[in-house]
Amino acid sequence: MSSNLQFIKSASGFDVASVSVSDCFSSLYDVYMITVSKWKYVGTNNAGGMRFLDSSGNVITDNEYNYADLQLRNYASYQQLRNENGSSFLVGFDSSNANGEALQAGFSAHVFNPNDSNSFTYTQFQDITAYDTTNTLGYKGMGVHKGAEQITGINFFNRGSGNISARINVYGVIA
């Protein structure tokens, strides 16, 4: 994959239910790179979720998301997590600290062909988080949004309970 990136748009939120970047996917690029930084939970039962926005800018919450993740833990065996026909992707950011910052070393995702209304939209992602003061927890995964529709944006939220704070950057990948 090419490492030439063109910054497109960013969005951030503080103590909000979710953070979206709208109108960031277009016909200019086939592949996009997403980064998330400054992720913080305000709540409990923390696990990050990712969803797409449709052509009207609405968050797609239909049961159209399939994912397969490998949870990489330094304190226990690795674990495979899979789900079919869910309402979002599970993308990590796990933290054992309620109201604590998920001190991630990084999150990145690639989104493939989101503007093509005749095909599904695919993603692959990875992150690493300080799970608590002594342990780390990473995710490496892939997913497919099984709706053949035009995707125009991306949304992140806490799949548990409570709010988040985050900054999201979107880049076009230049072939």
Side-chain angles (χ1 to χ4, degrees):
M1 176 141 333
S2 174
S3 62
N4 296 320
L5 303 176
Q6 176 67 48
F7 176 77
I8 296 174
K9 199 171 185 182
S10 68
S12 59
F14 178 75
D15 195 4
V16 292
S18 68
V19 179
S20 294
V21 183
S22 59
D23 299 320
C24 60
F25 301 141
S26 70
S27 60
L28 293 176
Y29 304 97
D30 293 329
V31 180
Y32 292 83
M33 182 176 174
I34 315 298
T35 63
V36 179
S37 61
K38 300 184 180 181
W39 183 277
K40 183 175 181 179
Y41 287 111
V42 184
T44 57
N45 301 320
N46 303 320
M50 183 174 81
R51 302 175 287 206
F52 292 126
L53 305 180
D54 65 19
S55 60
S56 298
N58 299 313
V59 176
I60 301 169
T61 58
D62 297 334
N63 294 328
E64 300 174 339
Y65 297 91
N66 289 6
Y67 65 82
D69 294 355
L70 182 59
Q71 190 182 62
L72 308 162
R73 304 178 288 188
N74 75 326
Y75 55 90
S77 298
Y78 293 178
Q79 182 178 7
Q80 292 182 17
L81 304 168
R82 292 182 279 240
N83 192 43
E84 290 185 32
N85 304 319
S87 60
S88 69
F89 298 120
L90 171 63
V91 293
F93 300 117
D94 287 11
S95 174
S96 67
N97 303 321
N99 297 317
E101 187 167 357
L103 302 170
Q104 88 237 23
F107 172 92
S108 67
H110 284 87
V111 177
F112 302 91
N113 298 316
N115 193 61
D116 186 351
S117 61
N118 295 312
S119 68
F120 295 166
T121 300
Y122 294 86
T123 185
Q124 63 183 30
F125 52 86
Q126 56 196 4
D127 76 50
I128 185 72
T129 304
Y131 181 70
D132 55 30
T133 57
T134 58
N135 294 301
T136 57
L137 176 60
Y139 279 79
K140 188 161 185 71
M142 66 179 89
V144 59
H145 172 254
K146 297 189 314 176
E149 61 186 303
Q150 183 182 28
I151 303 298
T152 60
I154 197 156
N155 172 268
F156 288 86
F157 69 105
N158 183 355
R159 286 173 51 115
S161 58
N163 289 343
I164 64 166
S165 296
R167 178 173 177 80
I168 305 166
N169 292 312
V170 178
Y171 303 88
V173 177
I174 300 170

